[in-house]
Amino acid sequence: MTVREKLRQKISAGFYWHGLLCASYPVPIILFTAVCILTCCYPLLKLPLPGTGPVEFTTGVRDYMVPPQEPSGDPGERPDWYRGPPVAYIQQVLVKAAVSPWDNRLVPVDAFRSPLGRVFSLLDEIRNHVHSDSSGVRSLEALCLQVTDLLPGLRRMQALLPEHGCLLVSPGNYWQNQRELFDSDPDLLRTVQQYEPKGLHTSATLKDLLFGVHGKQTGVSLNSRNRVVTYTITMALRHYDVRFLGSLRSRLKQLHPSANCSLREEHMVHVHFKEEIGVAELIPLVTTYIILFAYIYFSTRKIDMVKSKWGLALAAVVTVLSSLLMSVGLCTLFGLTPTLNGGEIFPYLVVVIGLENVLVLTKSVVSTPVDLEVKLRIAQGLSNESWSIMKNMATELCIILIGYFTLVPAIQEFCLFAVVGLVSDFFLQMLFFTTVLSIDIRRMELADLNRRLPAEAGMPPAKPGPLRPRETPPPPRPSPHTITLQTPAFRNLRLPKRLRVVYFLARTRLAQRIIMAGTVIWIGILLYTDPAGLRTYLAAQVSEQSPLGGAGLPHLAVAPATPPPELDPMPPPIPQISWGPEDEEGWRRLSYRHWPSFFSYYNITLAKRYISILPVIPVTFHVTPREALETRHPQDTRHAPPLQTDPSPNALPHGAPVQTDLTLYKVAALGLAAGVLLVLLLFCLYRLLCPRNYGQNGVQHGRRRRGDLPCDDYGYSPPVSEISPLLLRGHNMDIECLASDGMLLASCCLAGQIRVWDAQTGDCLTVIPNHGRNQGKSSAVTDLETLGGAEGQDAGGAGYPVRRRAAPSRPTLFGDQPDLTALIDTSFGQQPPSQAPSASSGFDFGGLVERAYLEHEPSVSPVFSAPPPQPVQRRRSLGDQPMAPTDWDSAVWALELRGNLIAAGRSSGKLEVCLWDAVEGSLRCSNEDGVSGITALAFLNNRIVAARLNGSLDFFTVDINKPLGLLQYRGGPGRGSMPPSPCYSSDDVISCQLTRSVQCAHQKPITVLRAAAGRVVTGSQDHTVRVYRLEDSCCLFTLQGHSGGITAIYIDQTMVLASGGQDGAICLWDVLTGSRVSHVYGHRGDVTSLVCTTSCVISSGLDDLICIWDRSTGIKLYSIQQVLGCGASFGVISDSLLVTGGQGCVSFWDLNFGDLLQTVYLGASSEGQGVRQLVVLDNAAIVCDFGSELSLVYVPSVLEKLD
Amino acid sequence: PGEAVPPRQGSYNAAIADQTANLAIRGLLLFLIGVFLALVLNLLQVQRNVTLFPPDGFASIFSSAWWVPPCCGTASAVIGLLYPCIDRLLGEPHKFKREWSSVMRCVAVFVGINHASAKVDFANNVQLSLTLAALSIGLWWTFDRSCSGLGLGFAIAFLATLTTQLLVYNGLFQYTSPDFLYVRSWLPCIFFAGVITMGSIGRQLAMYEYKVVQEKTHQD
């Protein structure tokens, strides 16, 4: 044994024990993992949240010092970016100007023309201000931030923004800072507005930039309310000179004093800007995230065969995400502060770590044998994959190690993260995901046991283990017809593309989700960029942070200087210039990209740097009306009519509401039009995609009175049609056996009466009464199938669970015992006395049993005492039927019909061959050689094969003593697979010879017998299938592969052989070689019926499911849920049409697509009756066993559509 | 009367099985993927050289010559169709990790290699070349592992690099990057990784056709 092998075994064993541990204590382990994750993520709280919003820091003006470049010893509350000089100091001069008092002669333009005009004189003042003291002479030129060229992309702004000089902007820039240009400008508003961008904009506009306040505050508009014009002169300073700025401030205040100004001028705000993320930078990032999500999607899509796919996918994503968080947290804990942009490397980390392990684990655990305990399954699954997991992990670690030695810092950091991430991911996979998986598997098993869902398709064959105890029959389901489709992948292949698109949209609600997501994103963008949204929030935060708190302190109120001589002494007229705390930091109302874009015009980035904003200098201008009139441009009056009346406030508010109303109407009309267009578009799309009017005709005549209609997977209810089937009445009791050869139909009821019907017209041709020894008495024929399995067990007194009708609830020793189950009828109280033709009012139960035993005494083994008939619960369907007190005779257990010969096998072992005749059904021959009950019959050509309860197989030959020339052939009308049946006349002497008897064909009772293509196939309780040749009754193959008794066999002319057993397995065999072609587990419980078509295999089981399998691959295509008790009733009409029985109805399905085509109700009176047997005749008619009646349904309409 | 006519399943599969239609669809898809990747990756490279974006800076996306994305798209279509074709000529289709999640992983790693070459500052160009070469070979080993893939990758990378160099020497095309060596050092590796990635996508797309054809023969 090599080291590798040893290592492998060790790892495998370790994983095994780990799996056991995880599955045994799921809750403690999950709690432990959660605690671990939280602990490791704790250091993350210290990291700043990602975002691009600016960060602020406020200091006092008085003792301001330029912060040192290196972080000093006392970090205090200083943010770590507050280091070194800022990019620039921003000094704003906030100007408020108004024409006062307002005069009647003034036009709206006057409200801002002359106030704006004052900016030029103010600019001159500022530019020419010189401060001289002992240390020298300083002017603005020396201190301000000198800028060079604008960026080349901004040619059109060249005239407006300063170049090669001080960075000083004001509204005067619109007119190149020349008073003459301003005075000669006929339309000031147009000049201002022409540079504004159209539509939604997120960055700072030129108007904001030059005015320095938010656009709405400027008051430069024709319908401004208070006629106060506000603007700033913004200068960027390179150096901070407290004396120069102080002198400038006092000078301006002195020249243009502001009354009642209560601005606090003691705080200086430093604003730090994060790295800008532009659109161009975002696109690759978004692409990587899209790829990442596609990867996660495609990975988690592979999770299959678990209880909750979404739950596990979520667990997988949680595993990966929390492992990343853990690794970041751990790295932070050990001092490795991440310098990489986390959002950028995150997708690559996820891709490196991957979801593969998780998927591999799931797949491995799911493919362990289902009948093992959950713990063991988890452990096995883990240990199966342990080697590959470890190998992969080692490889990844190696790759990362190699990456570490590239010695590139960024890559090294990535590798470090990846290593920690890998380890924590492994940790989480082993603890968290495995435990979640075990919980999921356990839930699935519980759900399986409760709901008895079908076993999954494609399951690998279970290792022979202890069979799980079978459950009692499932509880009745509320919805009779639901069709469950297995995997969408198979489904997709079988739908037309157009429908697939629609279904996909409907299933995922894609459009809805996209619209929702779009709305959320849009709202988010609005919130983020809207000046009123985020910025006010920031402002509120900063005002909370500022140590002085509220705005209530008029701390540094400028003492009102002598009022300017122009100012009228009369009470303040409108407009009133007022200074409030909101003016203090007017820049806050600007877009947060205001400063970055301002500087970016000169190719100065603010990313990761900061600027310091100094307190504003307030300046107030009062302009007299006379002055305003003097500066008026001749064209100003043209724009707006002068206001005739006094300027009371009610004159103006007219304009604005009208305008807003108009915009409102416009928006409403636009929205309405868009809505109508959308509806039309969707309608067209719908018509395009779905041109057919499904179900429109059906609604007209389909009376929806039967409660919930059957519908298929997509809620589509096909039209219900009600056709009146031909009811074949005549039997007194429930119909037991049905046989047909296409033209004729033979049925046998529980009373033993055999009736022969014409399959075309529904006429009853012959009645063959029960002509046993006890004439006139009908014999009770009880279908053991209708008795529950538990009952069979009880009655038989045997220990193993069997539910098949063949009554092998008795061991072989009991093989010859009379069928006592027929007597077990405890619903005596319900017997209406009138129904009993022969008995008196009493019912002598003891006598009946005695007689039955006396009759069969010779065959009863003396060793065994007869088990007393136990009072067991009968099924309702039987209990409802009035049972005539019956005398014991042998019951008809099997019925076959070929030509005009009926072969009936009885429980007493007698084989009867009757000749049917138009007038009389007479017994032509019988054979009583056998002693054991005939459980199954096959009638092919002129041979009859009978299988008996004791496991023997008898071959009979029917001989007709008659010249062959008279033998006519009645060809089977449609079915080519059936050999022509000879027609016998009543004159012939028919003899039935036992040609060969295979005594020990099977060890246990034969349960099914089928014959076709010259082969006879038997299935037995002894888990084997045998194939015999019909001619010489030679056994060709014994097919082994089932782990339970055989319950269903299908063979047809094309030598397709399928068998189903009590283990719920379905095997396909090659009849020529005897090899097993495929093997699937289809049902929980017995397989009750099997049919193959050219492309698929249809099976039904005791779990009342009809499953459709792909014949070549053995993959389950879909399954149809049947009504309780109708599980086995289905038939195949053509290669693509399936008919199933339901509660009082039959349904037609499209085999290829699993679509419900039509549901036909069999008359109004049959509400509660389920269709238990269903035979498809050649002429596309269906015969349903319908209580004591037979229904003959013609379905030409469906067939026409299919052909 | 009034029943639904069962839809036929044939049309969809027929469209897949139809050779030319399938080829055209695959080619178109590959072309679109190639154009998209070229645009995105070009953007990554552009970022390296421009420190700051003007606010109305969508023009920078198309800063390269207009014919570069279509060329990349055509090349990727050719490569994506060539790979399954060669596989078919050599016999069995490529089976190693043939699933969409793996392909997505491959694309992600490819974008990551580009990202690294654009964002990470290497000490010198040799280091950059070596790192990228190692990453590209790792990409091939992780997602392809076929000799045909390796050979084709080398051949196409060589040819593409040669073509680019010729174009540059003839003055038809200029690197936007300030240092010429930098571009030349990552170009072959990026080409190689791109060839592997597009081949992987092409093979995965071809899988559909292969499956349907197989199924059809099975049915027949």
Side-chain angles (χ1 to χ4, degrees), chain A residues 950-989:
Chain A
N950 60 5
S952 62
L953 198 63
D954 292 347
F955 290 80
F956 297 94
T957 312
V958 179
D959 294 323
I960 308 120
N961 301 334
K962 164 184 176 124
L964 274 171
L966 281 178
L967 208 82
Q968 319 157 12
Y969 280 89
R970 263 180 38 178
R975 195 172 287 180
S977 62
M978 199 185 294
S981 330
C983 202
Y984 307 101
S985 75
S986 56
D987 300 333
D988 308 332
V989 178

Side-chain angles (χ1 to χ4, degrees), chain A residues 410-456:
Chain A
I411 292 183
Q412 277 180 331
E413 194 174 336
F414 179 84
C415 290
L416 217 58
F417 270 121
V419 166
V420 183
L422 261 184
V423 173
S424 55
D425 184 56
F426 182 72
F427 168 78
L428 284 182
Q429 274 168 9
M430 285 301 113
L431 287 175
F432 176 71
F433 188 78
T434 312
T435 319
V436 170
L437 190 64
S438 80
I439 291 174
D440 186 87
I441 298 278
R442 185 167 294 135
R443 270 181 63 205
M444 182 167 80
E445 302 229 325
L446 283 179
D448 265 5
L449 287 181
N450 289 338
R451 299 189 46 220
R452 298 176 54 88
L453 281 174
E456 291 293 341

Side-chain angles (χ1 to χ4, degrees), chain A residues 658-725:
Chain A
V658 166
Q659 214 169 24
T660 51
D661 278 0
L662 264 183
T663 44
L664 195 70
Y665 290 140
K666 270 184 207 163
V667 167
L670 209 66
L672 201 68
V676 169
L677 198 72
L678 198 69
V679 167
L680 284 178
L681 196 74
L682 284 182
F683 182 72
C684 291
L685 210 65
Y686 171 77
R687 293 306 298 239
L688 205 72
L689 287 171
C690 201
R692 291 184 199 156
N693 307 326
Y694 288 120
Q696 256 185 13
N697 299 331
V699 177
Q700 294 162 4
H701 57 82
R703 282 179 285 153
R704 309 194 165 206
R705 59 193 172 80
R706 287 177 201 271
D708 18 296
L709 283 170
C711 63
D712 68 3
D713 204 20
Y714 302 103
Y716 163 63
S717 276
V720 170
S721 62
E722 206 159 293
I723 58 174
S724 44

Side-chain angles (χ1 to χ4, degrees), chain A residues 281 344 348 351 406 1150 1153, chain B residues 6-7 43 47 99 105 115 127:
Chain A
E281 209 164 337
E344 272 179 49
Y348 303 122
V351 167
T406 51
D1150 189 330
F1153 306 102
Chain B
L43 214 59
Q47 274 177 32
E99 51 204 4
R105 224 177 162 187
H115 207 134
Q127 204 178 28

Side-chain angles (χ1 to χ4, degrees), chain A residues 785-796:
Chain A
E785 188 181 5
T786 58
L787 296 169
E791 183 184 347
Q793 226 168 334
D794 286 344

